Amino acid sequence: MVAVAGSWAPSMWADELATAQTATSWDTLWETLRERDAVFLPYYLLMYVWSRAGTADWWLRLPSALAVAAATGLLADLGRRLGGVRAGTVAGAALLVLPAISRFGQEARPYTLAVAAAVFSYWCLHRALETGRWGRYVLSVVLLPCTHLFAVLSLPAHLVVSRRCLPWLALGSPVTLAVAAVSAGQVGQVNWLEAPGWENVVLVRSAITGWQPQPEPGNLPAVLLGWAVALTGLVSAAVLLRRGNGDRPAAGTPTDDLASDRPPAGHLALGRPSDGVLSGRPTGGGVPALRAFAAGLVVWGVLPMPVLVAVSHLVTPVYSSRYVLFAAPAFALLTGLGAARLPRAVLVAGLGVAVALGARQQVLLRTEPGHQVSYRAAAEIVAAQRRDGDRTVYVVPWARQGLTRYGTMPPERRSGDAAGERVWLVRSDFGRAVRPGTALPSRNGVAPAMIPKVDALLEERYTVTRTWPLRGVTVLLLERPPRGGRR
């Protein structure tokens, strides 16, 4: 699978380390939930059970990769049911080419589980309207907030397709209310977020990180890929919504199967009325027309971002582009439905361009620093050069957990410890690591709570003898002058 390939290479970053640590024991799990991350209670319970079989990086990331596979398969099947095999194939491909889908498909966090849950709920809606059996749909509504609370912002799209889902949606909603109530008291855990600016606002998150002052390699092409998928989806929606009743593809126009132009069984009429917001009656069998599903896809794709942006500016910051990753399949499916009418050569060429735009980031995210931090490389540096009596000082959150995960580190230097000859200082890659014109460690870029640790090293006259700047972390080797040379 695409998401599994290379998932063992990147170092875990802070959020993944939080997952790994929380899943270590039952006591740690409940202690974490009391302090923070209660919104992730269902996910942490899953990972606690999952980690009983192993704690390797690739294994902890595997649920996210499996979620990508599920989302892609369900999206392709939904596209086939709505517009034919070609529409489904293009929809699945449009989702998979996004570097962000691979990035979060290789992360021990629940964001791609939210993607899969959102696709599953829309797929269940179609099946319920087709068969009249709603049990599976209720289950899908229950599942959504268990993956990520904000994923419930995809549910208004269901009402656009058909108001018949309302009582069943309400039946599954108590879980959403419960998750919201449990996590309401911990909203401060995202106080690191800021109200988003224009550069943070995206319809489809496609790059492996958000926009940065100094974009990482391949960031701009990946961002353009995301906007291309979003705009193609919106144009496709506009075309589908403008078609009048009884409109049919022109004879000989390829609309469905890659090998045949015959409409598949169950293929929806493009312009028949529905019981959704577009009109008042169901088509034969009770399944709304494609126009209603297209309108729902627009709401699913567009609504979450402005809602979270508005809350971020009016109440408290809650927007991050990864929190709305679950909206990406809506645009991918719209792209598939619109592109199904295009000649095969055009589709192949478009796929080639999309792959090329995302290729550099697809490679980068599978390297050791691919998750924005190089804890494994830092641990290897220290392990290769440590000596007896060395101590370590960490002045960046989660660095201790990161380095000790990948190697045996020298003991951490505590307040009151006798000064040794050498200290390994581990800090972030922000700011200056060394004071200009000196060999002294710098406080620049160090969090205020960590500055006393640097001050203690300065008071004991430690100087920097070597520096290893890595992605997301900087390692410095500090030594004290020989006793005989002190004044």
Side-chain angles (χ1 to χ4, degrees), residues 205-219:
R205 174 164 180 160
S206 52
I208 61 177
T209 61
W211 190 269
Q212 299 176 338
Q214 295 180 337
E216 59 192 357
N219 192 84

Side-chain angles (χ1 to χ4, degrees), residues 50-113:
W50 185 266
S51 64
R52 299 311 95 190
T55 58
D57 289 4
W58 72 270
W59 178 253
L60 295 180
R61 291 165 173 163
L62 187 57
S64 295
L66 295 176
V68 170
T72 305
L74 288 169
L75 194 69
D77 184 65
L78 184 56
R80 178 187 65 82
R81 293 175 182 276
L82 294 175
V85 173
R86 182 174 293 185
T89 301
V90 173
L95 185 66
L96 279 180
V97 297
L98 299 174
I101 294 298
S102 290
R103 164 67 174 80
F104 291 102
Q106 296 187 351
E107 178 166 303
R109 298 299 277 178
Y111 303 113
T112 56
L113 275 70

Side-chain angles (χ1 to χ4, degrees), residues 343-426:
R344 189 180 310 174
V346 174
L347 294 178
V348 172
L351 177 61
V353 171
V355 170
L357 288 173
R360 193 168 187 186
Q361 292 232 317
Q362 291 281 8
V363 172
L364 177 62
L365 68 89
R366 291 170 170 84
T367 61
E368 190 274 330
H371 287 193
Q372 289 79 58
V373 67
S374 292
Y375 286 141
R376 180 184 284 109
E380 290 173 351
I381 288 170
V382 177
Q385 304 191 46
R386 62 174 294 182
R387 298 177 185 170
D388 292 340
D390 285 1
R391 293 292 184 268
T392 307
V393 173
Y394 303 97
V395 294
V396 58
W398 292 105
R400 179 188 303 104
Q401 293 87 339
L403 270 69
T404 56
R405 181 175 179 83
Y406 298 110
T408 302
M409 301 296 294
E412 187 171 1
R413 187 173 189 266
R414 304 293 183 180
S415 177
D417 284 356
E421 292 185 3
R422 305 199 325 166
V423 169
W424 295 92
L425 177 62
V426 183

Side-chain angles (χ1 to χ4, degrees), residues 13 366 450:
W13 75 294
R366 291 170 170 84
M450 300 291 184

